[in-house]
Amino acid sequence: MVLAQVTGLPIVPYSCRLGWKIRVRSWDRFEIPLPFSRCDMTFGEPIHVPRSATSAERERVRAQLQGVLLAGIGEGD
């Protein structure tokens, strides 16, 4: 969040969905694609963090980013 604020570059949320995969039983549910598997990537709208953002504004942007990622970039994962 701070890096986006300092550089002025947007945060671009994205998600990946693998067709054939091995899912590791770990805290992050890591996925390993199998050969010839299809990978669908979805990109969300860029989220800008103003350079003059206060901590309250950064928290608002963080909550917005979290909501977009948990929603699966608008696909309803």
Side-chain angles (χ1 to χ4, degrees):
M1 193 68 58
V2 174
L3 189 59
Q5 180 181 8
V6 170
T7 62
L9 297 173
I11 298 170
V12 180
Y14 74 96
S15 70
C16 303
R17 182 174 299 151
L18 295 170
W20 293 89
K21 64 191 171 253
I22 297 171
R23 182 173 287 161
V24 179
R25 291 185 177 175
S26 64
W27 64 271
D28 61 353
R29 298 185 327 215
F30 185 73
E31 296 178 341
I32 302 168
L34 293 173
F36 306 106
S37 179
R38 181 182 175 134
C39 179
D40 295 318
M41 295 188 71
T42 304
F43 294 88
E45 293 294 320
I47 298 174
H48 296 275
V49 182
R51 286 186 190 246
S52 61
T54 64
S55 60
E57 291 171 323
R58 280 194 307 272
E59 176 58 28
R60 181 191 55 78
V61 174
R62 186 207 60 78
Q64 175 188 3
L65 178 60
Q66 181 180 3
V68 168
L69 292 173
L70 290 175
I73 320 292
E75 282 191 52
D77 277 339

